[in-house]
Amino acid sequence: MKTINRRAFIGVAATASAGMALRPESILANGGKQSIKDAKPAILGGSKTFTGSFPSWPIYDHTEAKGLLDVLYSSQWGRLNGPVTSRFEEAHSKLYGVKHSLGVTSGTAALYAMLGGLGIGPGDEVIIPVYTFIATYNVVALHYALPVIVDMDPESFQVDPKKIEAAITKNTKAIMPVHIGGTPCDLDAILAIGKKYNIPVIEDACQAHLAEWKGKKVGNWGIGGAFSFQSSKNLNCGEGGTIITNDSDFYNACFAFHHQGQTSATAAIVATGAGIRGSNLRITEFQSNILLSQMTRLKEQAKTRNENALYLSSMLKEIPGLIPAKLYEGTTNGAYHLYMFRYDKEGFSGMSRAQFIKAMNAEGFHPSTGYGKMDKDPYVLGLVDNHFYKKIYGEKEMKRWKDRIDCPVNARVTEENALWFLQTDMLGTKIQMEQIAEAARKIQKYSAEIKNK
């Protein structure tokens, strides 16, 4: 309603959000950096290492409030009659050093539109990693193509390029690696495979905002890249996504797919489209202005995450049984939407991963076990008996597909080794990174006692 007091609203929003954005650094129980040389873990009755909290998410202030109200009072809420989405796309293109950015409704929509732009459909195969969010699988299934799931490199958690090449058939129409956790996959190896077989590479960079390979942003290397702006992401507007590309023909194909087959951003609703199919995946002006506001902090936040993650890795790798995820040589910057590491119980007196997590919880930290066995998930394996897929591919081929997607390395890593910290943890302080390492050292030292507790 236009009777809302705009200035009062912005003032209240700024005051409320300042408390979230400027949360004071947590204080240790003893008033300073805790020495744990002889301290017992909290699970055995010792003092808790961390009693505070990491930054809340999202971080916002009056910038976002003004952005929302500017769109509200403009009465131009959609991209067909508003200027904000175009401004966001221009700013995003400049940030990533690409010719084109296309705002869409989600990261899933970005992947879906890119496959649509390539004309992927029934009878086609798309290679994807096993260690990823289910959306990577869903977008292939939405096109009634066959998702060919490939095993991981256990050291990096990324897709194993050697297994990509082994999975290629005459029906392979796209390779869709994921920069999982926000650190780049082995792009040199994957792009070489794509070039060798003349198969386009689509980068799922939904978690990899501002990550870099050889000094160039990820999403720039294949025919196109997808980013997500969902609530948990390093750049977020609640829901949203974008496609980036340097290929103008591919951009036009993706634009038409996301806009009912129409190629003009101001096309009349009654107009028919071009091509054979399209959808409505358009982002709103509200989302675009929130993103422009969030982008004012993105570079500094990315720098903090990267520095903290590298510092934490330098400490964790000195603790027997903890192995930070490997970065490939081409990595010049990580986004660290997830901080991924492996747990080896042999370094902790045979103590299980579940016991380690419980002990870390007692210290005030909350690592997650992360993704599971997508290749064995009933949701995914349901494709074998799906009547559409049996009609397209045949019952025999669908049973063979089940064997093709077996990923034993992923099974072992997800069952026994994988652990995460979230991107908000990486927005903490250097002292907090030291506290994570201190808690882990303390647990490692007393692991035999914890194991038998």
Side-chain angles (χ1 to χ4, degrees):
M1 293 176 60
K2 293 190 177 182
T3 56
I4 294 175
N5 186 316
R6 178 186 176 103
R7 181 173 298 175
F9 177 86
I10 293 175
V12 169
T15 301
S17 63
M20 298 181 185
L22 302 177
R23 185 189 299 274
E25 182 183 326
S26 60
I27 306 298
L28 285 171
N30 64 1
K33 183 181 174 184
Q34 191 178 45
S35 172
I36 52 92
K37 185 176 181 181
D38 299 310
K40 276 195 170 186
I43 200 167
L44 295 178
S47 297
K48 189 175 183 178
T49 303
F50 183 60
T51 57
S53 60
F54 288 96
S56 60
W57 193 254
I59 292 171
Y60 59 91
D61 61 19
H62 64 281
T63 313
E64 283 78 5
K66 181 179 183 300
L68 286 172
L69 286 174
D70 284 348
V71 172
L72 178 69
Y73 288 114
S74 75
S75 298
Q76 297 174 321
W77 297 356
R79 81 166 297 156
L80 296 186
N81 66 347
V84 178
T85 295
S86 291
R87 290 206 301 267
F88 159 68
E89 290 169 342
E90 288 170 8
H92 196 263
S93 293
K94 184 177 179 181
L95 180 66
Y96 280 84
V98 291
K99 289 182 181 178
H100 305 286
S101 289
L102 175 62
V104 293
T105 52
S106 66
T108 304
L111 295 168
Y112 181 53
M114 286 199 293
L115 292 176
L118 288 175
I120 300 293
D124 295 336
E125 296 181 1
V126 178
I127 292 175
I128 64 171
V130 67
Y131 197 74
T132 184
F133 183 57
I134 195 64
T136 311
Y137 160 88
N138 280 336
V139 294
V140 181
L142 281 169
H143 285 287
Y144 292 96
L146 199 61
V148 178
I149 301 170
V150 170
D151 215 344
M152 65 147 72
D153 169 3
E155 293 186 4
S156 66
F157 292 82
Q158 308 291 339
V159 64
D160 187 336
K162 295 188 293 295
K163 291 170 183 172
I164 288 177
E165 186 160 15
I168 290 173
T169 73
K170 62 182 176 58
N171 297 319
T172 306
K173 295 300 187 291
I175 300 169
M176 196 157 67
V178 180
H179 302 295
I180 201 66
T183 51
C185 60
D186 190 350
L187 276 169
D188 283 0
I190 294 168
L191 291 167
I193 293 168
K195 184 177 180 180
K196 178 179 177 180
Y197 293 93
N198 195 28
I199 300 170
V201 174
I202 290 175
E203 295 175 68
D204 181 340
C206 286
Q207 298 180 357
H209 302 280
L210 298 189
E212 293 180 356
W213 182 260
K214 296 183 175 178
K216 186 164 73 173
K217 305 290 190 301
V218 299
N220 253 296
W221 293 86
I223 193 170
F227 294 86
S228 171
F229 306 134
Q230 180 267 342
S231 297
S232 71
K233 298 301 188 294
N234 300 16
L235 177 62
N236 98 88
C237 61
E239 293 289 352
T242 194
I243 295 165
I244 65 172
T245 183
N246 290 300
D247 186 314
S248 295
D249 290 339
F250 182 63
Y251 167 79
N252 290 332
C254 292
F255 187 97
F257 187 90
H258 108 292
H259 184 38
Q260 307 289 16
Q262 300 174 26
T263 56
S264 170
T266 56
I269 294 173
V270 295
T272 56
I276 59 170
R277 56 185 174 160
S279 185
N280 176 6
L281 307 173
R282 297 187 302 267
I283 197 170
T284 70
E285 296 285 274
F286 290 104
Q287 291 167 293
S288 294
N289 232 11
I290 286 284
L291 289 166
L292 283 168
S293 301
Q294 289 279 295
M295 282 167 66
T296 63
R297 306 180 189 87
L298 182 61
K299 287 184 178 179
E300 188 59 34
Q301 290 170 342
K303 182 174 181 286
T304 298
R305 287 190 197 92
N306 190 54
E307 289 177 351
N308 277 337
L310 294 176
Y311 184 47
L312 180 59
S313 289
S314 72
M315 294 181 285
L316 292 191
K317 70 181 183 181
E318 300 300 325
I319 302 172
L322 297 182
I323 310 104
K326 179 182 78 175
L327 300 178
Y328 293 108
E329 283 187 17
T331 302
T332 47
N333 194 56
Y336 289 100
H337 177 65
L338 305 170
Y339 178 88
M340 303 180 296
F341 62 109
R342 285 177 293 145
Y343 174 79
D344 181 356
K345 67 180 182 180
E346 297 309 313
F348 283 77
S349 307
M351 188 176 77
S352 71
R353 181 179 60 170
Q355 288 175 304
F356 175 77
I357 291 172
K358 187 176 180 181
M360 285 294 285
N361 290 168
E363 299 294 339
F365 302 108
H366 300 279
S368 164
T369 55
Y371 298 124
K373 294 177 283 188
M374 185 168 72
D375 58 315
K376 304 300 181 189
D377 193 285
Y379 175 78
V380 171
L381 291 182
L383 214 59
V384 173
D385 296 315
N386 180 282
H387 65 286
F388 293 116
Y389 272 78
K390 286 197 289 188
K391 185 181 294 186
I392 296 165
Y393 300 95
E395 188 170 345
K396 182 179 178 181
E397 180 59 30
M398 289 311 299
K399 287 181 178 177
R400 193 173 81 86
W401 171 78
K402 182 179 177 181
D403 294 331
R404 287 177 68 194
I405 66 168
D406 182 49
C407 297
V409 175
N410 180 76
R412 184 181 73 250
V413 171
T414 55
E415 285 175 3
E416 302 174 7
N417 309 121
L419 287 171
W420 292 352
F421 287 114
L422 301 179
Q423 59 98 352
T424 47
D425 298 342
M426 296 301 104
L427 286 177
T429 64
K430 287 190 74 173
I431 288 175
Q432 289 169 340
M433 300 304 107
E434 291 166 358
Q435 290 173 313
I436 293 172
E438 287 174 356
R441 286 191 203 101
K442 194 163 48 166
I443 292 165
Q444 198 274 338
K445 181 178 178 180
Y446 286 86
S447 55
E449 190 173 342
I450 296 170
K451 178 187 174 184
N452 297 319
K453 185 176 182 296

